[in-house]
Amino acid sequence: MTALKQYSFWLIVGSQDLYGPETLQTVDEHAQIIVDGLNADSAIPCTLVFKPVVRNSSEIFSTIQAANQDPSCAGIITWMHTFSPSKMWIRGLKALQKPLLHINTQFDREIPWQTIDMNYMNLNQSAHGDREHGFILARMRLPQKALAGYWQDIKFRSRMATWMRAAVGAFESRQLRVLRISDNMREVAVTEGDKVEAHMQFGWSVDHYGVQDIIKLVDQVTEAEIDAQMAEYSAHYELATDNLEAVRYQAQEEVALKKFLEDGKFGAFHTNFQDLQGLKQLPGLASQDLMRLGYGFGGEGDWKTAAMVRILKLMSADLAGGTSFMEDYVYHMEEGNGLNMGAHMLEICPSIASEKAQIKVMPLGIGDREPPARLTFKTATGPAILASLIDMGDRFRLIVNEVDCRKQEYDMPNLPVAVVLWKPLPDLETSAEAWMYAGGAHHSALSYTVTADMMRDWAEIMGIEFIHIGAHTKIPELRQELIWNDIVWKHK
Ligand code: MN
């Protein structure tokens, strides 16, 4: 079973009593065939669950209430094979607490020209019934996704999969705990934010602990635990240093951090290089290896990006390719080939490596501690996204830029960190201007697996503003969108 099969989605097919039991039985049979067909396709990452056809307001209400209560249900999918008068749906939809995908498909692909009669028309009328359903969803201003197309087509299935991943992101978001080790870096604006609002909007519980709480655990780590962690490192990475003592200290930090994360059921954490107290090294290798295991991470107290790294990792846990904490660092402004080089002082996730990562120990220019062990590696090429969540004071805004990651041609022997070299869409200048007009952070979650469409669906489910920077982006239009959004989102 792949990682995302544990999340279920209920297919709820609407109808009414008017058609008689025979037609309704056929509706159920067709829905079951569609569910089985989708579950058999590896393009669908999650599990579809068949529910008997709903015929009236009380059946709709009780099915939706049951979906709300089911701890593995990550969303509902509605479809009107026949006609289902939508006033019957109001009570149930008002109670709905899960994400909603409305599919507009048909059991048969083509019209049977020779045999079609009124019985066929009564059964196969989603062109009619789904429009009635679309009206009530629009009238109630519900967060939703409309998906039209033939259910056996690859494009339809891949768009369904995209929405499912977003719903998984929402599901995990609503139970995410973020561990703050210390506060955020002094004087920095973009890593601030309203944690109460984040709890209400995203479900994140964001709690602070003192560095001393971690140090207590670091001091309790045994030599045997460090040995076991070192064996883990050897299994995944190449040791490219003689300074074993420094590597063992990172192992000690990782064992302690992992205990703290597991005990508190945290999915993400941040550090702050300005506040290390008795820690001898900034956790570098330790943070990188914890990201590989699926934890979200943010530097300098960035709890919002730490949470996003975690959510993006879970949305795409079954896909090849990685997700990492990222920071825009240095431009390559060659004419016609503008690139952005992203990195961080240490903490890039080895899930985005294109080669076996090496453990090295080098001094850190910032801070006043011992040279930390870290992983260095070259990174994967191809399409990726950068996602940045910011707090605008009255709302959260998610900014996503599509980028194309390029091959790293030079070794950069004096640079002791992993980097990603990307060409942002539509081009470096437009992307940078758009990102800054939108207020995007210098920190982001970079993902080779999550797409802009997934993030758009996730933003819709979470009820937040979404700004998409890509091949289509033009600065005058983007600035208009930002001005309009300021009005629209103030009235939410
Ligand atoms: Mn940073």
Side-chain angles (χ1 to χ4, degrees):
M1 197 169 93
T2 56
L4 267 63
K5 285 288 179 196
Q6 61 176 300
Y7 306 94
S8 67
F9 290 87
W10 291 16
L11 179 64
I12 303 176
V13 183
S15 190
Q16 58 184 327
D17 272 322
L18 199 69
Y19 304 110
E22 212 173 293
T23 301
L24 292 180
Q25 195 189 325
T26 311
V27 168
D28 271 348
E29 285 164 15
H30 286 177
Q32 184 72 66
I33 290 169
I34 290 176
V35 164
D36 292 345
L38 294 172
N39 279 335
D41 188 342
S42 61
I44 300 292
C46 305
T47 304
L48 269 102
V49 175
F50 163 82
K51 290 289 153 185
V53 63
V54 288
R55 297 167 301 174
N56 50 53
S57 177
S58 69
E59 285 181 3
I60 292 165
F61 179 74
S62 61
T63 304
I64 286 177
Q65 282 291 57
N68 287 338
Q69 297 301 317
D70 183 334
S72 75
C73 175
I76 66 163
I77 300 172
T78 56
W79 175 46
M80 306 304 123
H81 191 353
T82 58
F83 191 83
S84 182
S86 278
K87 284 203 242 173
M88 298 188 327
W89 283 80
I90 293 172
R91 185 170 171 233
L93 289 173
K94 274 182 87 79
L96 178 65
Q97 293 164 0
K98 303 268 164 124
L100 169 71
L101 173 70
H102 174 207
I103 56 169
N104 177 215
T105 189
Q106 191 164 270
F107 186 70
D108 294 325
R109 186 191 288 276
E110 294 177 6
I111 295 173
W113 307 106
Q114 301 307 319
T115 56
I116 186 165
D117 58 10
M118 278 318 292
N119 282 340
Y120 188 91
M121 294 267 274
N122 275 334
L123 175 64
N124 298 280
Q125 53 173 317
S126 48
H128 176 201
D130 279 326
R131 277 173 169 71
E132 167 75 357
H133 195 62
F135 167 73
I136 203 65
L137 298 179
R139 175 73 170 77
M140 291 176 75
R141 272 78 169 173
L142 289 174
Q144 56 154 319
K145 168 101 175 167
L147 169 58
Y150 189 56
W151 64 279
Q152 291 187 356
D153 284 348
I154 291 167
K155 191 176 166 202
F156 178 89
R157 291 180 175 194
S158 116
R159 291 181 65 207
M160 177 182 276
T162 293
W163 175 83
M164 281 177 163
R165 292 181 185 285
V168 166
F171 184 100
E172 289 296 342
S173 181
R174 286 173 180 145
Q175 55 195 28
L176 178 59
R177 285 172 58 77
V178 182
L179 166 63
R180 308 197 66 202
I181 304 173
S182 183
D183 204 324
N184 51 319
M185 183 180 167
R186 287 184 281 277
E187 304 285 4
V188 175
V190 80
T191 50
E192 295 285 354
D194 185 336
K195 298 191 286 292
V196 176
E197 192 62 26
H199 203 146
M200 294 193 294
Q201 194 85 47
F202 304 116
W204 303 346
S205 145
V206 184
D207 283 327
H208 151 270
Y209 286 83
V211 184
Q212 208 54 43
D213 295 317
I214 307 297
I215 292 172
K216 255 186 257 167
L217 284 185
V218 171
D219 290 343
Q220 288 165 17
V221 174
T222 65
E223 288 299 309
E225 286 173 314
I226 296 174
D227 289 343
Q229 188 60 52
M230 290 293 286
E232 274 289 298
Y233 291 158
S234 304
H236 290 96
Y237 316 121
E238 186 188 323
L239 201 59
T241 175
D242 295 330
N243 189 348
L244 277 188
E245 211 45 46
V247 182
R248 288 183 69 84
Y249 187 70
Q250 288 283 332
Q252 190 176 347
E253 287 183 323
E254 179 166 353
V255 170
L257 282 166
K258 208 185 295 169
K259 268 187 204 153
F260 206 95
L261 291 163
E262 282 172 2
D263 288 351
K265 296 190 164 53
F266 294 103
F269 71 105
H270 71 64
T271 54
N272 180 354
F273 73 90
Q274 270 179 339
D275 186 14
L276 294 174
Q277 308 292 337
L279 288 177
K280 291 187 221 158
Q281 295 178 28
L282 175 64
L285 169 59
S287 298
Q288 292 176 290
D289 195 52
L290 287 166
M291 262 191 281
R292 176 185 66 80
L293 294 174
Y295 287 102
F297 173 82
E300 294 101 56
D302 191 343
W303 53 273
K304 296 193 295 299
T305 308
M308 293 307 291
V309 170
R310 167 71 170 177
I311 290 166
L312 269 62
K313 278 178 178 288
L314 291 171
M315 283 164 74
S316 58
D318 58 329
L319 298 176
T323 297
S324 178
F325 175 61
M326 190 50 62
E327 179 166 277
D328 301 82
Y329 243 108
V330 183
Y331 288 144
H332 180 68
M333 292 185 132
E334 183 188 338
E335 207 175 346
N337 185 35
L339 303 172
N340 196 337
M341 191 175 84
H344 204 253
M345 55 177 86
L346 300 172
E347 312 91 337
I348 301 301
C349 178
S351 69
I352 66 169
S354 62
E355 59 183 12
K356 193 162 190 179
Q358 294 190 324
I359 300 176
K360 290 181 184 161
V361 180
M362 327 272 263
L364 191 63
I366 295 173
D368 54 356
R369 298 304 148 106
E370 292 175 8
R374 82 286 305 272
L375 294 168
T376 69
F377 46 85
K378 286 187 177 175
T379 49
T381 57
I385 61 159
L386 296 171
S388 171
L389 183 74
I390 58 165
D391 184 340
M392 289 295 286
D394 51 2
R395 66 186 187 277
F396 288 104
R397 169 184 284 163
L398 177 66
I399 303 145
V400 169
N401 192 179
E402 289 173 287
V403 304
D404 184 36
C405 299
R406 296 295 171 84
K407 189 161 184 272
Q408 196 181 306
E409 304 282 359
Y410 302 98
D411 283 334
M412 299 187 282
N414 298 320
L415 193 67
V417 289
V419 305
V420 181
L421 210 55
W422 66 78
K423 177 198 181 297
L425 297 184
D427 56 69
L428 178 62
E429 294 82 358
T430 309
S431 150
E433 288 171 17
W435 189 268
M436 287 185 287
Y437 279 129
H442 49 84
H443 285 169
S444 57
L446 175 141
S447 182
Y448 290 79
T449 50
V450 174
T451 63
D453 284 341
M454 281 177 215
M455 294 316 295
R456 180 195 305 282
D457 287 352
W458 184 80
E460 166 86 16
I461 294 167
M462 304 316 297
I464 60 162
E465 183 189 0
F466 178 71
I467 299 293
H468 180 195
I469 304 167
H472 64 282
T473 297
K474 293 191 169 61
I475 293 298
E477 283 85 339
L478 179 101
R479 297 203 73 183
Q480 287 298 327
E481 185 184 354
L482 292 169
I483 290 166
W484 293 329
N485 281 8
D486 248 342
I487 314 264
V488 171
W489 288 92
K490 276 204 170 88
H491 287 265
K492 279 265 169 184

